[in-house]
Every structure is written in structure tokens, then in C-alpha cells.
């Protein structure tokens, strides 16, 4: 072909056409998957917020970290090099990592952490997913500053199932501590009490002008009159569910946790730690400056950072001297709003995006969520706060569970996690302060490959009721039912939504209530499940599933990569 081009070089048009054919032979077609490569350098950087300066752990010196962009069907390779004093791992929150738990990232679950001075390349395919997800550190409390968005575009020539926006923006909600967050967490652990709450919430790493020394630490989003915008919102806060609203503007919810929804319009959204929500906003108000605001939701008697973080939704051409107006956020304890908003969420369940809800259940699980006190002679009150599922407080191993499973190492974990609590009681009745002698251990639940699972998560009034956002690694699940009070297995399933329930990877268990989820166990390996309140995770509110290999060759865990970190 090249010699033919040279022979006809005197014919310019033929020459160009011919060489374009050569390029077409060696370049991938638009329909083929691309390889997206990223380099993450974990390093310290001095950052100032709220009149305080301190070194924080960052990715490439950025806070929040860089956005990972990909398209459905792409292969993504992220080389992470650790230049800080902490061992570290990165979790790609919401990516299913089919058969490839080695790229999931939770330290001591699917990998040993990346030690200081070492590197590891996360190598994974983006299959059957599109939308907004996120990545974050998955060890200690390092995700306070080590996090960023993941934006997965649909396949080429595949439109959104909603009006095309003029532009897209990533909005990452977070928390800020004036002091070193790792020291704060360590001090709380040593004393057996909750660590200090955060000093501010942030929007894209900035608290906004309602805080001292923050005029220049305010995120501004510029819009044009009459245009629509897609906001990809991530709650990266460690311990708080958050309301979010824009003064003078409604939002149309079109996606949660990278799953398209039946669109609905609301003045505010509620987003739990670990969750993502995409909304369309039409710039149809009087051109001016409007505050975007985030504030905590807490309907239990627990101390929280109740201050409001703000950013600015600014129309093009408006002077920066115009004082923005604040939105009317729901009351801090507005449980009714939270419950009604979650009931609005529905999967599209279209021909292109079906809701494949498991209808025949092979395994029924019932997990109670409890807080408790265990003896601790060195702690302030002689006790330490613990959290448990079915009265088992999870102990992190010293060897990664997936490696132990793959290499058949003995003594690392047990597979006798209980399917239900050993002692049923009135879970949400009068406050229960009795010590149920919480058990501790690294206990897993073994699940048969491709079995259909229903799991009911039940909040309890052990010490206190509280909302809990639970995240399941390696899977999406369908939220088929939820309610306040005790789950009734004889009545509540009759009210399940088995037609178009919302599909997601992180779900909030309502305060003093329950939620029922269903999923098919078609991803073999170790799948972590935990409360996404970092405080509760540290207290043991977590467990893991061991999903067995299937009978076929393509139904087993892939071999580990050669550069997998060792403990």
C-alpha cells in the first residue's frame, strides 16, 4: 500500500486518499476500546483553609485530586506512586471490577497497601457502566483529602437519555479539619471515643465565603442565561450525609451512582457519603449570583458539623460585587424529606437500560446494625466504642483477604459470618444500653456463584439509632424496599418495588429503619461491604463476602498482577 502511494504521488488527491487508508488500517476505529493511562503521585502539599495552614496528602499536588475520564468499554491504567509516610491504597468506588478484585483497592481486603516509595498500577476495564463515580484512598482517614471524580462517557454515538447539556461540571463535597486528620483519628481511637468533628464542609475543596479567610477559597461556576448544565455531584465527606441546593433554581435528577433514573425535579437533594448524583440545572432565573450550598443531614441526637459550605452559581457578565442569595435547605433533621426523596428514585427500566431485578431469591440475609461498648482498660471510661453487624465487629487482617483466598492461606479468615442475629429483639424500641458482648473477628459470608441474594439491613437502637450509608464493593444492587421501624418479613415484602427499583452501589439505611437490597452474585472473589461513615468503619461496621468461583473458566478470579503489593 505504501509503494502504491509513492507511485501515485503526482496525483495529490489520490495520494491523500491513499494515505488516509493507511492511517485507517493502523489506527483503531472509534468503536474500539481505548487505553486511558494516568499517573498518580501521592505527595504532601501545604494547603491553607480557615486561616490554618498544614501539609495534606494529595494526588499530583491537587486537592481534590484529578478527574479520571474514560468511555464505556475503555481500559484504564493508573500508576500510583507513594511518596508519603503513610501506606496507601486507592479504591475505584462503584466500578464493578468483574473477576478483577485486584484493582478494587480496599487495603487488606483485595490488596496490601502500597508502601512508601513503591508503585502499583491499577489496571481495569470499564464494562457496562457509564456516568459519575469517584476514587478515594481506602486506608486510615486519608480519603479526607485523597479523592476525585470518575467520569465515564457513554459509547460513541450513544446519547444521554436526557437533554444534552451545554456543559458539565464536577461538584465534590468534602470535609476539612484544621488539625492533622490522622492524628485526630488516632487520638479518638486511643481514648475510645469519637474523634473531633470537622471544622468545615467544602465544595471542590473550598468552604466558601461564610467561613473566615475564605473569600479566595470559593468555587465559582459560570453559566449563561437560557442554557442547561449537568452537575456531577459526589459526596466525598468522611462522616456526613449532606443536603445540596442552588438558590433560585430547581434540579432535575437524572442519574445516581452511575445509573440513569427516571427524571424528577426537586429543590434540594440528599446525598450520603460514597454516593453520586447527576442533576440538570437550567439557568432560567434573573442573571445574578446565587449560592450553591451544602449542609449536614442528621436526624439522631449526635454532634455534627452544622456549618454550611457554599460555592457560587454565577451568570456570565454579572459583577463579582453582587452578593449571592442563599438557598432554603431542608431542616437538619428533616427525615420526611429524606424518605420522600429516596422514594422518588426509580430506574429507567427501558429496553436499552433494563432493570434486571432478581425475582427468585436463593439466599436471604438479615443483618442488624449495632453500636456498643467493649472493655478497654487504657481508654478514658474503661470502654471503647465498637460497631457491629449481627453483633460481629470486623477485625482487619494483616494479609489481604483476596490474596489469602487465591493462595489458599490458612488462618487469615473464617467463613461463618451469621446470616441473621443470634438473638432477635425489638431492634428499634426503647434505647438499649445493655452490652450484648460484641464478638470480634475476621468472619466472612460465603456466597455461591451466580446465586440471587436478598439482604435486609436493619438499624437498631443499641446506644442510639442513626442513618448508615452502606457500600457494597464489586456490585450494583437494587433497593427493593425501605421503611421505618422493624422489618416485618411477613408483610413488608408485599410492598417491594420489583419493577423499576433504583440500582446503586451505596444506600442509606434510614435512622431507626431498614432497607432491602437484591443482587446477583456473579462477580467471584472477596467483596467488601461497610458503612461509608469512616467513623463507623473504623469501629468495625463492616464485613466481606466470599463469592465462590463458577464452574466455567471465565467465572473465576483472574490471576493477580505481578506488581501486586505485599504486606
Amino acid at each position: 500500500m505504501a509503494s502504491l502511494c509513492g507511485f501515485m504521488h503526482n496525483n495529490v488527491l489520490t495520494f491523500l486518499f491513499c494515505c488516509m487508508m493507511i492511517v485507517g488500517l493502523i489506527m483503531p476505529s472509534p468503536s474500539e476500546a481505548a487505553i486511558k493511562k494516568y499517573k498518580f503521585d501521592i505527595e504532601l502539599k501545604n494547603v491553607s483553609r480557615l486561616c490554618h495552614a498544614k501539609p495534606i496528602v494529595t494526588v499530583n499536588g491537587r486537592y481534590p485530586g484529578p478527574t479520571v475520564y474514560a468511555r464505556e468499554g475503555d481500559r484504564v491504567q493508573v500508576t500510583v506512586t507513594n511518596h508519603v509516610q503513610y501506606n496507601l491504597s486507592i479504591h475505584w468506588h462503584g466500578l464493578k471490577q468483574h473477576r478483577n478484585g485486584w484493582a478494587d483497592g480496599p487495603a487488606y481486603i483485595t490488596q496490601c497497601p502500597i508502601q512508601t516509595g513503591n508503585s502499583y498500577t491499577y489496571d481495569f476495564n470499564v464494562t457496562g457502566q457509564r456516568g459519575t463515580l469517584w476514587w478515594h484512598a481506602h486506608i486510615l482517614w486519608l480519603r479526607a483529602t485523597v479523592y476525585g471524580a470518575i467520569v465515564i462517557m457513554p459509547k460513541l454515538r450513544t446519547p444521554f437519555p436526557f437533554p444534552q447539556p451545554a456543559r458539565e461540571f464536577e461538584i465534590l463535597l468534602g470535609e476539612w479539619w484544621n488539625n492533622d486528620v490522622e492524628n485526630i483519628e488516632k487520638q479518638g481511637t486511643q481514648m475510645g471515643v469519637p474523634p473531633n468533628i470537622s471544622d468545615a464542609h467544602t465544595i471542590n475543596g473550598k468552604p466558601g465565603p461564610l467561613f473566615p479567610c475564605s473569600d479566595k477559597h470559593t468555587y465559582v461556576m459560570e453559566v449563561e442565561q437560557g442554557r442547561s448544565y449537568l452537575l456531577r455531584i459526589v459526596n466525598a465527606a468522611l462522616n456526613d450525609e449532606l443536603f445540596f441546593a442552588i438558590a433560585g433554581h430547581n434540579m432535575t435528577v437524572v442519574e445516581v451512582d452511575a445509573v440513569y433514573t427516571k427524571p424528577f425535579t426537586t429543590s434540594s437533594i440528599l446525598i450520603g457519603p460514597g454516593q453520586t448524583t447527576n442533576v440538570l440545572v437550567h439557568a432560567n432565573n434573573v442573571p445574578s449570583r446565587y449560592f450553591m450550598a451544602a449542609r449536614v443531614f442528621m436526624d439522631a441526637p449526635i454532634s455534627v458539623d452544622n456549618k454550611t459550605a457554599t460555592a457560587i452559581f454565577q451568570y456570565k457578565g454579572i459583577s463579582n460585587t453582587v452578593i449571592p442569595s442563599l438557598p432554603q435547605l431542608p431542616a437538619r433533621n428533616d427525615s420526611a424529606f429524606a424518605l420522600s426523596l429516596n422514594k422518588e428514585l426509580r430506574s429507567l427500566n427501558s429496553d436499552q437500560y433494563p432493570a434486571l431485578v432478581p425475582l427468585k431469591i436463593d439466599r436471604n440475609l438479615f443483618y442488624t446494625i449495632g453500636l456498643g461498648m467493649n472493655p478497654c482498660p487504657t481508654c478514658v471510661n474503661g470502654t471503647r466504642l465498637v460497631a457491629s453487624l449481627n453483633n460481629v465487629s470486623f477485625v482487619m487482617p494483616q494479609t489481604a483477604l483476596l490474596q489469602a483466598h487465591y493462595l489458599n492461606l490458612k488462618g487469615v479468615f473464617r467463613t461463618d459470618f451469621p446470616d441473621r442475629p443470634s438473638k432477635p429483639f425489638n431492634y428499634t424500641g426503647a434505647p438499649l444500653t445493655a452490652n450484648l458482648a460484641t464478638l470480634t473477628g475476621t468472619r466472612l459470608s460465603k456466597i455461591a456463584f451466580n446465586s440471587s441474594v436478598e439482604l435486609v439491613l436493619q438499624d437498631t437502637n443499641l446506644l442510639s439509632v442513626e442513618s448508615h450509608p452502606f457500600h457494597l464493593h464489586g456490585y450494583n444492587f437494587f433497593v427493593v424496599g425501605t421503611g421505618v421501624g422493624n422489618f416485618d418479613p411477613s408483610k413488608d415484602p408485599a410492598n417491594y418495588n420489583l419493577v423499576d427499583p433504583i440500582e446503586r452501589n451505596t444506600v442509606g439505611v434510614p435512622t431507626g429503619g431498614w432497607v432491602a437490597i437484591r443482587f446477583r452474585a456473579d462477580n467471584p472473589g472477596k467483596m467488601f461491604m461497610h458503612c461509608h461513615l469512616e467513623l463507623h468503619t473504623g469501629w468495625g461496621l463492616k464485613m466481606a463476602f466470599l463469592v465462590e468461583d463458577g464452574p466455567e473458566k471465565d467465572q473465576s478470579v483472574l490471576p493477580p498482577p505481578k506488581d501486586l503489593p505485599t504486606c
Side-chain angles (χ1 to χ4, degrees), residues 47-255:
V47 172
S48 177
R49 296 288 188 273
L50 278 62
C51 315
H52 289 75
K54 67 173 184 177
I56 64 171
V57 182
T58 68
V59 171
N60 301 343
R62 296 171 58 179
Y63 166 63
T67 298
V68 171
Y69 294 97
R71 190 174 293 279
E72 182 182 353
D74 283 351
R75 180 179 178 183
V76 178
Q77 295 174 330
V78 186
T79 299
V80 179
T81 303
N82 185 5
H83 301 284
V84 300
Q85 71 270 35
Y86 305 105
N87 293 340
L88 182 135
S89 67
I90 301 290
H91 170 47
W92 313 93
H93 187 113
L95 283 164
K96 296 178 183 178
Q97 309 287 14
H98 187 65
R99 301 174 58 208
N100 186 31
W102 312 110
D104 191 39
Y108 298 107
I109 302 297
T110 61
Q111 67 166 95
C112 296
I114 305 166
Q115 296 181 20
T116 303
N118 290 356
S119 298
Y120 175 52
T121 298
Y122 293 91
D123 189 343
F124 52 87
N125 295 316
V126 180
T127 304
Q129 293 182 274
R130 81 296 304 164
T132 305
L133 295 170
W134 67 301
W135 58 265
H136 60 83
H138 210 297
I139 188 171
L140 308 173
W141 278 28
L142 292 176
R143 75 175 177 92
T145 57
V146 181
Y147 62 87
I150 302 173
V151 173
I152 307 169
M153 297 301 294
K155 292 180 179 179
L156 285 171
R157 294 180 291 278
T158 300
F160 294 132
F162 47 80
Q164 180 73 26
R167 190 178 170 189
E168 303 177 11
F169 294 88
E170 289 105 48
I171 304 292
L172 290 94
L173 312 178
E175 289 182 87
W176 171 265
W177 280 261
N178 287 331
N179 295 318
D180 183 274
V181 68
E182 291 304 317
N183 287 339
I184 290 171
E185 188 274 336
K186 188 182 300 182
Q187 183 182 42
T189 299
Q190 291 172 347
M191 297 177 67
V193 297
N196 294 340
I197 60 176
S198 58
D199 295 289
H201 291 107
T202 58
I203 299 177
N204 287 348
K206 300 176 179 180
L210 302 186
F211 289 86
C213 303
S214 296
D215 286 344
K216 67 178 182 178
H217 297 307
T218 301
Y219 174 73
V220 179
M221 170 182 162
E222 187 176 80
V223 301
E224 293 186 44
Q225 173 80 18
R227 293 197 170 190
S228 293
Y229 299 87
L230 183 68
L231 274 58
R232 299 177 177 271
I233 307 169
V234 178
N235 186 351
L238 264 68
N239 294 309
D240 290 332
E241 296 178 276
L242 296 168
F243 291 119
F244 177 86
I246 305 173
H249 297 77
N250 286 328
M251 298 173 286
T252 301
V253 177
V254 294
E255 177 201 304

Side-chain angles (χ1 to χ4, degrees), residues 97-100 405-406 447-451 475 520-527 546-559:
Q97 309 287 14
H98 187 65
R99 301 174 58 208
N100 186 31
H405 166 63
Y406 190 86
I447 304 288
F449 178 80
N450 214 33
S451 58
Y475 287 92
R520 186 174 299 281
D522 57 2
N523 191 6
K526 289 290 191 305
M527 300 306 164
L546 169 54
V547 179
E548 298 177 295
D549 287 344
E552 305 298 329
K553 187 176 180 180
D554 62 351
Q555 296 175 341
S556 60
V557 177
L558 292 169

Side-chain angles (χ1 to χ4, degrees), residues 277-480:
T277 301
N278 282 9
V279 299
L280 282 174
V281 181
H282 192 49
N284 57 359
N285 209 328
V286 176
S288 187
R289 303 174 84 217
Y290 300 87
F291 271 134
M292 299 184 281
R295 189 178 66 204
V296 71
F297 163 65
M298 173 55 71
D299 57 351
I302 294 171
S303 296
V304 293
D305 171 10
N306 197 35
K307 296 179 286 292
T308 302
T310 54
I312 297 176
F313 188 87
Q314 179 164 331
Y315 281 72
K316 188 175 182 179
I318 298 300
S319 170
N320 289 344
T321 60
V322 175
I323 298 176
S325 55
L326 275 167
Q328 185 67 40
L329 289 163
R332 188 185 86 167
N333 61 349
D334 195 340
S335 305
F337 178 88
L339 292 169
S340 64
L341 188 76
N342 285 329
K343 288 180 180 178
E344 290 273 7
L345 291 170
R346 293 284 187 273
S347 294
L348 275 182
N349 195 20
S350 63
D351 291 340
Q352 188 173 4
Y353 305 105
L356 303 176
V357 189
L359 300 179
K360 181 181 177 296
I361 299 301
D362 302 308
R363 183 85 172 270
N364 281 282
L365 305 174
F366 182 79
Y367 291 176
T368 54
I369 303 164
L371 302 177
M373 296 280 194
N374 273 7
C376 175
T378 61
C379 294
V380 176
N381 300 314
T383 57
R384 182 190 306 280
L385 282 164
V386 294
S388 64
L389 287 167
N390 283 353
N391 207 39
V392 177
S393 187
F394 191 84
V395 174
M396 295 297 287
Q398 297 302 305
T399 300
L401 294 178
L402 185 57
Q403 289 171 292
H405 166 63
Y406 190 86
L407 298 173
N408 197 28
L409 302 179
K410 305 300 182 184
V412 178
F413 61 86
R414 296 161 51 177
T415 57
D416 59 350
F417 189 88
D419 284 4
R420 52 194 51 82
S422 58
K423 296 179 181 179
F425 56 94
N426 182 6
Y427 307 114
T428 57
L432 300 165
T433 56
N435 191 340
L436 296 186
T438 303
L439 305 174
T440 58
T442 310
R443 301 171 66 178
L444 281 60
S445 177
K446 186 181 288 189
I447 304 288
F449 178 80
N450 214 33
S451 58
S452 295
V453 179
E454 177 175 309
L455 166 61
V456 176
L457 289 162
Q458 172 73 62
D459 189 29
T460 71
N461 208 358
L462 286 165
L463 295 188
S464 175
V465 292
E466 187 176 348
S467 177
H468 299 273
F470 266 84
H471 172 49
L472 178 61
H473 289 232
Y475 287 92
N476 279 0
F477 49 76
F478 292 96
V479 184
V480 296

